[in-house]
Amino acid sequence: MKAGVFDSGIGGLTVVKSLLKAKLLEEIIYYGDTARVPYGTKDKSTIISYSLEALEFFKNFDLDILIIACNSVSAYALNEIRENIDIPVVGVIESGIMAVENSISTKDSNILVLGTKATISSNLYNNGLLKNGFKNITSIATPLFVPLVEEGIFEGAILDETMKLYFKDIQNIDVVILGCTHFPLIENKISKYLNSAKTIHSGDAIVKFLLQEYDLKINNNYDTKITFFATSSPDSLKEVAHKWLNI
Amino acid sequence: MKAGVFDSGIGGLTVVKSLLKAKLLEEIIYYGDTARVPYGTKDKSTIISYSLEALEFFKNFDLDILIIACNSVSAYALNEIRENIDIPVVGVIESGIMAVENSISTKDSNILVLGTKATISSNLYNNGLLKNGFKNITSIATPLFVPLVEEGIFEGAILDETMKLYFKDIQNIDVVILGCTHFPLIENKISKYLNSAKTIHSGDAIVKFLLQEYDLKINNNYDTKITFFATSSPDSLKEVAHKWLNI
């Protein structure tokens, strides 16, 4: 099984980490559009146009499946991507919603969705959760978490003050959806700030989704081969991959 | 006098503000590459390639001068831009250095250069100041100021904590160069944190540079006509322009 993983930049490495740990794939082609990151502040037509350019790149490889690690792309360009390639394309939003279904038993739970401006304004998490019977959903765009994580700020006063700003009206949260690939890097801090709320991590969610919906099998013998491509500063991407993934 | 103003996004509006106030120009064509902002975290070849694309756009207008508002472009792509267009091209780094020359009397003054990663790693401010006889120069990349300003955070605890992080080893600064178009929006906060250090603002610096080097004249009758172009979300750019420039 050979998968493409598409992300706007380095954040998608948190999804790769889950994929590697799960031993589901023989090979991963990772493409990060580091020249044009972040996508989460851009408008829909720009995100679609950049995503279709990435798709042309992926067509050079004989992929079995394409995984869209970026929530903003999953929110705005999934249909357009699917219309333009003949392999299964999996986004992180549908898998995130399935993960909420699997992790909480009552439809009355208080769910908090965090994401970029693009992801939140698409309302896809919100609508998907409502459709599944959840009633108490709060969505907030937390765009500053992205540059903080990119600058390696995973703790400390700046992050604390940023959470204080974003979460000032938030209370009694049971489950928080980390609707951006950068957020798992501050997962513990977010959960702790929200009184140990349960977290939904796009990478773990997509692994479960692949196992359930695409009949992929865990193979403990897999030593997944991974190749990284970036549209700018490929060495930085490799350096971060080395640090985050221990490869 | 018809000028093009090129910026990676909305930050260049701080330069436009100075140009409008100075009444130097009859017309401004503003181009913000909002689809690919920020440039300051990208590598040199990417910045050059995007700058040359912007140049093709500017060639559609009959410009007298092209002003590069973005420090990262001024740092990495000025030569390439000049080689590809037949009108004068002015960057913000040479004008910033001239402004330091004009504003302080002693070469022993302590100068702090702030900028994006691209601007700081180019060492252009540093080398220019050294060449002009200044000896005590400290340069630091302060990339988080960019998203903070873009999110409208001009004061408060997050900004205070970010300054505390960046300025923890900084003291006795006489002059601080705001080497990024976003930074004038937090000029007072930065100056206050650094014990009322004098600030060098790219917009004001370029006005003085144009008056001195290009023999432009102030004309109080000018009601500068300005047209905005953006590669993504043009309405957001216009909204910010309306707010920042009162137009």
Side-chain angles (χ1 to χ4, degrees), chain B residues 52 55-56 58-59 61-66 78-90 214:
Chain B
L52 295 180
L55 197 58
E56 290 311 305
F58 281 116
K59 285 180 180 172
F61 302 90
D62 189 25
L63 299 177
D64 299 303
I65 192 164
L66 179 60
L78 205 56
N79 291 340
E80 288 74 8
I81 292 173
R82 283 183 172 148
E83 281 163 15
N84 286 284
I85 195 163
D86 285 334
I87 55 170
V89 179
V90 185
Y214 286 90

Side-chain angles (χ1 to χ4, degrees), chain A residues 8 33-48 50 72-73 76 116-119 121, chain B residues 8 33-39 42 50 150 231-233 236:
Chain A
S8 57
D33 192 3
T34 49
R36 304 188 291 199
V37 72
Y39 280 12
T41 52
K42 298 180 175 39
D43 62 19
K44 184 172 180 175
S45 63
T46 305
I47 294 173
I48 290 174
Y50 292 173
S72 304
V73 174
Y76 275 152
T116 62
K117 287 179 189 173
T119 300
S121 70
Chain B
S8 56
D33 192 3
T34 49
R36 304 188 291 200
V37 72
Y39 280 13
K42 298 180 176 33
Y50 291 173
E150 298 228 331
T231 51
S232 177
S233 310
S236 301

Side-chain angles (χ1 to χ4, degrees), chain A residues 105-140:
Chain A
S105 50
T106 160
K107 299 288 184 186
D108 292 332
S109 297
N110 288 314
I111 304 172
L112 176 64
V113 184
L114 305 180
T116 62
K117 287 179 189 173
T119 300
I120 296 305
S121 70
S122 79
N123 267 323
L124 277 190
Y125 275 112
N126 220 42
N127 294 341
L129 290 165
L130 286 172
K131 212 170 142 187
N132 280 276
F134 294 100
K135 297 165 202 156
N136 304 320
I137 311 155
T138 309
S139 300
I140 46 175

Side-chain angles (χ1 to χ4, degrees), chain A residues 35-38 42-43 46 50 117 143-144 147-148 151 153 157-158 161-162 165 231-233, chain B residues 35-38 42-43 46 50 117 143-144 147-148 151 153 157-158 161-162 165 231-233:
Chain A
R36 304 188 291 199
V37 72
K42 298 180 175 39
D43 62 19
T46 305
Y50 292 173
K117 287 179 189 173
L144 284 175
L148 289 180
E151 290 305 315
I153 294 175
I158 302 176
E161 291 297 338
T162 306
L165 174 76
T231 50
S232 177
S233 310
Chain B
R36 304 188 291 200
V37 72
K42 298 180 176 33
D43 62 18
T46 304
Y50 291 173
K117 287 179 188 173
L144 283 176
L148 289 181
E151 291 305 314
I153 294 175
I158 302 176
E161 291 297 339
T162 306
L165 174 78
T231 51
S232 177
S233 310

